[in-house]
Amino acid sequence: RVLPGYVFRVSKPVIVGIKVESGKIRPEVQLVNEKGVVIGTIRNIQKDKDSIPEAEKGDEVAISIEGAVFGKDLIGNSILYTYVPKRDGDLYLEKYNKYISDEEISLLSHILRITKQRVI
């Protein structure tokens, strides 16, 4: 979720504060909006001014998003999702579901639905 009032740059790349509400995020992952449309790619994640390799549920971090424009592609309180290719989603749901929480399974199914990829 994009934190209102934490916009550090509006484009090239967008830099915003976010709270990870479920799962994890990493650089080089595409982000989609609530309609399943790709808005950009995470380039960097920072916590306390240090770059970090990933952020997880509960973390409040700053991310840079290449390809997005604040006010057009996202606003404060926007909920963003990491894009998961169907092949990867199916693998998690079929083979590795015992290693992820029920909340993460629900989130993954939601991402596959909003990006119009058939859920197994």
Side-chain angles (χ1 to χ4, degrees):
R1 179 178 301 273
V2 177
L3 297 171
Y6 288 91
V7 180
F8 306 106
R9 186 181 299 157
V10 296
S11 67
K12 298 183 182 180
V14 167
I15 301 175
V16 293
I18 64 153
K19 181 173 184 175
V20 180
E21 294 191 345
S22 184
K24 298 178 183 179
I25 60 168
R26 292 187 178 106
E28 304 307 319
V29 173
Q30 289 183 311
L31 293 174
V32 298
N33 63 19
E34 293 179 37
K35 294 180 180 179
V37 176
V38 174
I39 63 151
T41 302
I42 298 174
R43 289 293 173 221
N44 193 23
I45 304 170
Q46 287 193 352
K47 186 171 186 174
D48 300 324
K49 299 185 182 180
D50 293 321
S51 289
I52 58 174
E54 76 176 20
E56 57 188 32
K57 181 179 177 177
D59 287 344
E60 290 187 358
V61 297
I63 61 171
S64 57
I65 308 169
E66 191 68 45
V69 175
F70 190 84
K72 176 184 171 225
D73 301 309
L74 65 150
I75 58 172
N77 273 325
S78 290
I79 296 177
L80 305 175
Y81 302 90
T82 55
Y83 176 78
V84 178
K86 179 169 174 31
R87 175 179 51 104
D88 295 349
D90 286 350
L91 192 60
Y92 275 110
L93 292 173
E94 290 175 359
K95 286 186 131 185
Y96 300 111
N97 59 9
K98 60 186 169 202
Y99 300 109
I100 59 178
S101 70
D102 289 343
E103 179 183 23
E104 290 169 324
I105 289 171
S106 176
L107 176 61
L108 181 55
S109 295
H110 180 71
I111 292 168
L112 292 173
R113 259 192 311 280
I114 66 171
T115 55
K116 305 207 181 349
Q117 301 177 78
R118 199 177 117 252
V119 179
I120 60 166

